[in-house]
Amino acid sequence: IDEKDYKILEILRVNSRTKVRDIARKLKIPISTVHKRIRKMEEDCIIKGYTAYVNYEKLGYNISAYILVKADYHRLQKRKLDKIFMIENVLRKFPKVSIASLVTGQDRDVILRLRLKNIPELNTMLENLRGIDGILSTETVIVLGEVKQVGAVR
């Protein structure tokens, strides 16, 4: 991956629907070159897919929250399970979890990102989540506002 590839990625990150022709014009390189580079980055899984940014509030999802999860290692080890099993279990049971990340620090093991319609729905989610085998405790952080949704390529 070189400087031209990074420039292509940056353009696609800002708007994944940008036409190859427009990218080529902006970067002053042939359309065929841009097309080949994009295809190569897709094949190499540098570009994993294309997505739309959704306005969740327009869909009625007014609550955005992070749930910090502490794993019950004793219980997981006793059952010969690991954190990955616990996360897969959470994702299977709770499709509204959009991101699940293994983390370190702050005495937490997993951070879940989700969007819900209201506080009662969040309470129900938390009650159900705490009932999952291998979860010792949770802490909820409600997002008051988002400053930036997409990061730079580098």
Side-chain angles (χ1 to χ4, degrees), residues 37 54 126 129 140 144-145:
R37 285 173 175 267
V54 176
L126 290 169
L129 187 62
T140 304
L144 299 177

Side-chain angles (χ1 to χ4, degrees), residues 16-27:
S16 65
R17 296 180 65 175
T18 304
K19 292 177 174 49
V20 172
R21 171 180 29 89
D22 296 335
I23 296 171
R25 187 178 318 127
K26 184 172 185 168
L27 300 180

Side-chain angles (χ1 to χ4, degrees), residues 47-154:
I47 297 175
K48 298 198 284 186
Y50 299 89
T51 189
Y53 293 104
V54 176
N55 184 339
Y56 289 97
E57 290 174 1
K58 292 231 181 217
L59 298 173
Y61 293 94
N62 297 310
I63 303 291
S64 178
Y66 290 93
I67 300 177
L68 292 70
V69 178
K70 174 137 183 73
D72 184 344
Y73 286 107
H74 179 71
R75 188 165 181 82
L76 289 171
Q77 286 174 344
K78 206 158 83 172
R79 297 198 54 225
K80 295 183 171 51
L81 303 173
D82 61 12
K83 286 189 290 187
I84 300 297
F85 170 82
M86 182 184 64
I87 290 175
E88 289 170 348
N89 200 7
V90 167
L91 294 175
R92 204 172 25 260
K93 289 183 178 183
F94 303 103
K96 290 184 181 174
V97 172
S98 60
I99 299 172
S101 303
L102 292 170
V103 296
T104 185
Q106 298 298 317
D107 197 32
R108 299 294 175 202
D109 302 296
V110 177
I111 295 179
L112 306 172
R113 168 74 189 263
L114 57 144
R115 295 181 188 272
L116 301 158
K117 294 193 177 216
N118 51 45
I119 295 295
E121 188 177 15
L122 175 60
N123 281 332
T124 300
M125 165 81 177
L126 290 169
E127 287 172 13
N128 293 334
L129 187 62
R130 290 179 185 128
I132 289 181
D133 202 20
I135 292 181
L136 185 63
S137 65
T138 65
E139 180 181 345
T140 304
V141 178
I142 295 177
V143 176
L144 299 177
E146 290 186 351
V147 178
K148 186 173 183 180
Q149 196 171 32
V150 179
V153 174
R154 55 180 172 150

Side-chain angles (χ1 to χ4, degrees), residues 2-14 23-24 27 29 33-35 37-38 41 47 153:
D2 64 13
E3 191 61 32
K4 288 179 185 171
D5 291 325
Y6 278 112
K7 288 179 180 179
I8 291 168
L9 286 172
E10 184 61 26
I11 290 168
L12 290 173
R13 183 195 61 81
V14 171
I23 296 171
L27 300 180
I29 56 179
T33 301
V34 172
H35 192 270
R37 285 173 175 267
I38 290 172
M41 287 189 284
I47 297 175
V153 174

